[in-house]
Amino acid sequence: MIYLNNAATSWPKPEEVLVQVNRHICDLPVTPYRSALHNSGLPDDVRKQTADFFHVHSADSVIFVPSATFALNAVLYGLLNAGDHIITTALEHNSLLRPLKTLEREKNIILDIAPCSSTGFVHPGDIQKLVKNSTRLIAASHASNVTGRVQEIQAFARIAHNSGAYFLCDASQSAGSIFIDMQNDGMDILVFAGHKNLFGLQGIGVYCLSENCRPRPFISGGTGIKSDLPEQPPERPIIYEAGTQNTAGIVSLQAGMEFLKRKGQNLLLSKNTLFKETAAKMKSIPGVTVYCEQDTGLHETVLSFNIEKLPCDQTGIMLERSFDIIVRSGLHCAPLIHKYLNAPRGTVRASFSVFNTESDAAALINAVQNITDSIK
Amino acid sequence: MIYLNNAATSWPKPEEVLVQVNRHICDLPVTPYRSALHNSGLPDDVRKQTADFFHVHSADSVIFVPSATFALNAVLYGLLNAGDHIITTALEHNSLLRPLKTLEREKNIILDIAPCSSTGFVHPGDIQKLVKNSTRLIAASHASNVTGRVQEIQAFARIAHNSGAYFLCDASQSAGSIFIDMQNDGMDILVFAGHKNLFGLQGIGVYCLSENCRPRPFISGGTGIKSDLPEQPPERPIIYEAGTQNTAGIVSLQAGMEFLKRKGQNLLLSKNTLFKETAAKMKSIPGVTVYCEQDTGLHETVLSFNIEKLPCDQTGIMLERSFDIIVRSGLHCAPLIHKYLNAPRGTVRASFSVFNTESDAAALINAVQNITDSIK
Amino acid sequence: MTIIQIKKIEDCFDGSMIYEIIFNSPVTRPLLDYFAGLGALQYYNFTRPFYKITVLGKYELQGILNESQLKIILARDNPLQFLEEFKIKFKNWQ
Amino acid sequence: MTIIQIKKIEDCFDGSMIYEIIFNSPVTRPLLDYFAGLGALQYYNFTRPFYKITVLGKYELQGILNESQLKIILARDNPLQFLEEFKIKFKNWQ
């Protein structure tokens, strides 16, 4: 079985993730925030490592949550009020679009969606055009989860800050794969999932806030400390963290970041090379459409394509059942981009991790070749 | 090290929890809801098992969430509107009290809190007295996480239903330890944590809804299916489940329930006996106050006490550092009950799991005896 | 040969009517040929051959030869009637 | 002997001022006796002896003899001044 669905969840995980998670489950449970007398360093050490990894201004502004979806809901509900104008893009995942759509209906926020090119690139000028006096937030993906195209986020940030708005970057697809410097990139809110290119388990997400970005808390509950306060305590991080955390998930994220810090640079270079070569080979197969621009621009290693005469779902099943290659087909939870790709029913997406090999890529190309040959 | 903080998080976990979680992390990731062509049974098999375990009317009404705290926030925000009257109790955890306090401030709900006895028992009559025409919800713990006292929840449910209100039962402390039949007990909303008496990992919680209880969705996002809908799809369970789930947590919950189904009955009987004997011994130590009624009523195996001349935090540290016994001291995130216990600074809480032995209990009694002897 | 389970499955689109049909034994070549007689067959002769049978306006069958399950994608108007129709057709084969 | 870390820790009450003080070597009996001279000592002679020194109106020290850390619970008025005061007292011992 060849796994090429890493954009959904990376697999396999590095060995240290398994080892550390196991150790954690076997060890005595920790009580976050409380007395350090038997302190495992959880979760505060991981907060520091995360702040370091993404250059967040302070470890206390790193918030651990169950998913990037939760993070986006929390920040959007906590930040937006009736009449606020929000600009987002056609690339976005339902984890961003759906809460915005619900807020549009329930809270009368005003939503504008910038278009993208046929390879999933959002021109900063198209964002600039949408800016109004009431613009409070520009929210955009760092990289499309469909085409992999990396966006000019520093330009988005500048546009936001020039108009007195916050810039939210959804880096779920890129974190761990493409270098992110929260402060230098001008992000007010950085959101990402732990289970993709950071190699954590499913069930851990993170958001990081700039000092001046202060959403209302989205959930409240037990904090272990200051329990006498009737509402959530006002200081970071606990203002945003209530209830028992997914500590195994936090440990897995830590192990994943340590793995990347130690081995990431070389592995990521090889992964990018493999991706570019595979994209080029895929493009050269007659009857195949590839939705990326492998020659220009920075790319996450997500290869979307279609075999022209086949529905994407059918190609997906054939690859999985006849060729033992797991890809994903359909909209990839990003419903708006496909109009721009001219692929209204979606794409087949092969997404690579650092553990994929040349032989995996060759098997994919061979299978697609085989399928297109059989159609003739 | 003797671990008596199982009411916070149970430890150790049964071996099958470790084995199944490990297998899950090593196995290919699953895509919930989608094509069954490589179906691991996750999470729908666990939904069915949970519905069976707690006698929920339908597996689709079992909702997996990151924590009981999340579940309570989701249900309360999804159900309550301005002017709604809610009755809760002095026993409750901040995971219930804090969202209600926030809703009182933000959404103008009206909140009444029923008192409890000096052992943490809420008389149903005291709930009945608070009922109004506008009462929409009665929300109460199944068992106090401070005194362990189990409540007469069927009476609470009757009061709720006679007044056209919903009954929400927070069974975080009791689920897996005390038999729960959602339908027979008259619960409209059953909430619990997976990491306590159900032996799952931290980071998994559940809520179950009766057919007619339909909160608005609290978060929205990717669902993997029906991605073309602009908002969350309307059917259960996905209306309430957005984003990547903590699948390792769901697997751990499954393994925990299987463990309890196979071995629970005998182990729980022994645990209760051990608890009653330990409570009786603790009561007999001069200078110790015990906050339970071990002779009357049903009890979760949570033993709260204080050494009269010592602050609870000091007793807690002494037990941990001088005697290697891990308990928890303070308010236990339940800030209102302590007034009724006449323990305004909190209690020391020793909480048992089925893995605790007579020798653990003897060590606790011996240590407390030792401390009280040293005070004289 | 009988159907042991019919399970609704989903794709990315609201309103899709797709079921997985699980048989108690594999879909062999004679059965596939019978199914093919109901409509138009696309057959991909891979090591594990993939088939797709289109019964125009009614349903589409997709699966792998010698596996015990197939996917039926039903037309959106009257899908359950077409599912019943397929079940009867299958019964008639036996 | 020096302090290598001072870490704010919390309890269940808002406004509590509690720090954990970590030394580069264990609190031995002579140091404990010195601390005891600053206020009133409660000493529990267990296998791992527990001590508590109350400096009335200022702070309380709690720890285990021969361990390298202790907890200081500061009075709520002017807590940081009392923390400084403790640090000076500790320095004076050396």
Side-chain angles (χ1 to χ4, degrees), chain B residues 239-296:
Chain B
I239 182 173
Y240 300 120
E241 291 183 357
T244 302
Q245 292 268 28
N246 177 1
T247 49
I250 293 172
V251 165
S252 73
L253 178 65
Q254 178 179 39
M257 287 190 298
E258 281 167 3
F259 165 77
L260 285 168
K261 241 182 146 167
R262 222 177 43 256
K263 297 193 182 166
Q265 203 160 9
N266 288 334
L267 289 173
L268 290 171
L269 276 175
S270 309
K271 181 177 81 149
N272 284 326
T273 306
L274 182 62
F275 168 74
K276 284 192 178 173
E277 288 169 2
T278 313
K281 282 179 196 154
M282 191 67 93
K283 277 199 173 173
S284 74
I285 303 175
V288 174
T289 307
V290 175
Y291 304 96
C292 74
E293 25 176 327
Q294 88 276 23
D295 306 320
T296 61

Side-chain angles (χ1 to χ4, degrees), chain A residues 63-128:
Chain A
I63 313 299
F64 294 121
V65 287
S67 61
T69 300
F70 180 96
L72 291 168
N73 278 267
V75 170
L76 297 173
Y77 277 81
L79 216 50
L80 300 178
N81 298 305
D84 285 347
H85 178 240
I86 292 89
I87 302 170
T88 189
T89 85
L91 305 180
E92 305 310 319
H93 192 277
N94 272 332
S95 55
L96 183 67
L97 291 175
R98 281 181 171 164
L100 286 176
K101 279 286 173 194
T102 303
L103 282 165
E104 194 179 32
R105 181 173 51 75
E106 283 184 355
K107 265 198 176 178
N108 299 310
I109 65 161
I110 295 142
L111 188 57
D112 267 318
I113 297 173
C116 68
S117 76
S118 64
T119 55
F121 178 69
V122 178
H123 198 287
D126 286 332
I127 302 244
Q128 181 67 62

Side-chain angles (χ1 to χ4, degrees), chain A residues 25-69:
Chain A
I25 298 175
C26 294
D27 279 355
L28 275 175
V30 295
T31 308
Y33 307 123
R34 288 297 290 271
S35 160
L37 288 178
H38 74 278
N39 194 341
S40 75
L42 260 186
D44 284 337
D45 285 357
V46 193
R47 239 183 263 289
K48 288 192 194 101
Q49 286 168 275
T50 309
D52 186 50
F53 201 97
F54 294 100
H55 200 208
V56 185
H57 80 282
S58 145
D60 287 343
S61 293
V62 174
I63 313 299
F64 294 121
V65 287
S67 61
T69 300

Side-chain angles (χ1 to χ4, degrees), chain C residues 4-82:
Chain C
I4 56 174
Q5 203 186 351
I6 298 183
K7 221 160 46 171
K8 188 158 180 6
I9 58 177
E10 303 270 359
D11 66 6
C12 290
F13 296 92
D14 186 41
S16 292
M17 288 298 280
I18 310 174
Y19 289 84
E20 189 185 38
I21 295 178
I22 304 170
F23 302 99
N24 67 340
S25 66
V27 174
T28 52
R29 188 73 218 200
L31 178 56
L32 179 59
D33 289 339
Y34 171 75
F35 285 155
L38 307 174
L41 171 72
Q42 279 178 40
Y43 184 78
Y44 295 83
N45 194 20
F46 308 133
T47 317
R48 267 169 293 159
F50 178 88
Y51 61 84
K52 170 164 139 183
I53 292 134
T54 309
V55 183
L56 215 68
K58 294 182 174 179
Y59 55 82
E60 212 177 270
L61 309 175
Q62 293 185 12
I64 303 290
L65 187 66
N66 296 321
E67 286 194 359
S68 304
Q69 72 268 43
L70 59 76
K71 202 165 103 167
I72 182 165
I73 302 162
L74 297 159
R76 289 197 180 200
D77 57 316
N78 247 334
L80 294 180
Q81 185 196 308
F82 296 134

Side-chain angles (χ1 to χ4, degrees), chain D residues 51-68:
Chain D
Y51 61 86
K52 170 163 140 183
I53 292 135
T54 310
V55 184
L56 216 66
K58 294 182 174 178
Y59 54 81
E60 213 177 86
L61 309 174
Q62 293 185 13
I64 303 290
L65 188 66
N66 296 321
E67 287 194 357
S68 304

